[in-house]
Amino acid sequence: MGRFTPSPNYAFYSVPELWKATVMDKRHIETLVLATHNPGKVKEIGVLLEPYGVTVKSAGELGLPEPEETGTTFAGNAAIKSLAAAKGANLPALSDDSGLCVDALDGEPGIYSARWAGPDKDFSAAMEKVNEKLGDSANRAAHFLCVLALSWPDGETELFEGRIDGTLVWPPRGEKGFGFDPMFVPEGEQDTFAEMDPGRKASMSHRSRAFAKLVQAVFEPAIRRNENA
């Protein structure tokens, strides 16, 4: 995966930089648009945001079109989606872009993870493609990467990255996950993501790690300000 180079309107926060997120502290978010037409993702993220008193609306609910993802990185595509939703709704907007990156395949499928599943979203075929490309390679290392993009209508955008490393197995195991989950075993674990209960997966997933950075930079400072007011 290529490295995303922030423009002057972007801020990309790693853990040490979260304490520098002073711009974010000046913002108070009451309504947040999720730049997705996926009801399941809206429900999942809505539950995560509930403790922070944020009203969640989806791009689909607001009738916003889905922009073409022309970026060359997860960060680029996430920003494209969040900016389009923020400007279309005139509200802060959150999006995510994520995928599987396989070391022996030079990071593929990466940002094209969903496309490997084809128009029918057949991830069984996508997993078979990964396994076929790996062949007899002894290197089965891979990682899931997620970038959350939070944008405002004026174009300001913050990016939060989460990653989890692991190993690919074959044949796939488990039926509780989705995407490439049945062939991915997180580092230090024996079960695939698809063999784990949702709560256990969420405690370590790439998306939850990115979300934790978002919460630490945006919502926890807002709570502290309210407590000190």
Side-chain angles (χ1 to χ4, degrees):
M1 185 187 77
R3 179 161 178 80
F4 177 74
T5 302
S7 75
N9 282 340
Y10 291 96
F12 206 134
Y13 294 116
S14 62
V15 173
E17 293 166 332
L18 289 174
W19 302 109
K20 301 177 184 178
T22 54
V23 173
M24 302 289 287
D25 289 354
K26 297 176 183 177
R27 309 277 187 142
H28 177 65
I29 299 174
E30 295 181 350
T31 300
L32 182 66
V33 177
L34 299 184
T36 180
H37 288 65
N38 184 329
K41 187 177 290 187
V42 173
K43 181 178 181 181
E44 178 182 346
I45 298 179
V47 170
L48 293 173
L49 289 171
E50 189 174 353
Y52 306 101
V54 178
T55 299
V56 172
K57 295 184 179 294
S58 72
E61 178 185 351
L62 297 175
L64 301 176
E66 295 183 88
E68 184 178 359
E69 296 179 30
T70 57
T72 58
T73 63
F74 292 110
N77 282 328
I80 286 170
K81 292 182 283 190
S82 62
L83 282 166
K87 292 180 179 180
N90 199 33
L91 288 167
L94 179 70
S95 72
D96 85 300
D97 201 60
S98 58
L100 177 71
C101 304
V102 182
D103 288 12
L105 302 183
D106 296 324
E108 287 188 313
I111 63 170
Y112 304 110
S113 293
R115 297 183 195 181
W116 277 34
D120 295 327
K121 305 298 182 186
D122 184 355
F123 276 94
S124 294
M127 287 188 287
E128 287 182 8
K129 185 175 180 179
V130 169
N131 191 58
E132 288 174 3
K133 280 181 168 284
L134 281 172
D136 296 328
S137 174
N139 183 5
R140 312 288 290 190
H143 63 272
F144 276 118
L145 190 70
C146 171
V147 175
L148 295 177
L150 179 64
S151 295
W152 281 267
D154 64 3
E156 184 182 326
T157 298
E158 279 75 34
L159 304 170
F160 306 89
E161 181 180 293
R163 168 175 170 157
I164 184 163
D165 291 274
T167 303
L168 300 180
V169 297
W170 197 260
R173 307 195 312 252
E175 299 179 353
K176 297 177 182 178
F178 56 90
F180 294 97
D181 285 357
M183 70 182 306
F184 183 83
V185 177
E187 202 170 65
E189 301 289 335
Q190 294 183 336
D191 295 332
T192 68
F193 264 166
E195 293 176 303
M196 296 181 182
D197 291 329
R200 182 179 168 202
K201 176 190 171 184
S203 70
M204 67 182 78
S205 77
H206 48 306
R207 184 169 288 106
S208 67
R209 291 178 178 185
F211 190 82
K213 294 178 183 179
L214 167 70
V215 167
Q216 189 176 356
V218 182
F219 298 108
E220 288 184 354
I223 292 173
R224 288 196 296 269
R225 286 197 303 271
N226 290 335
E227 290 175 345
N228 295 329

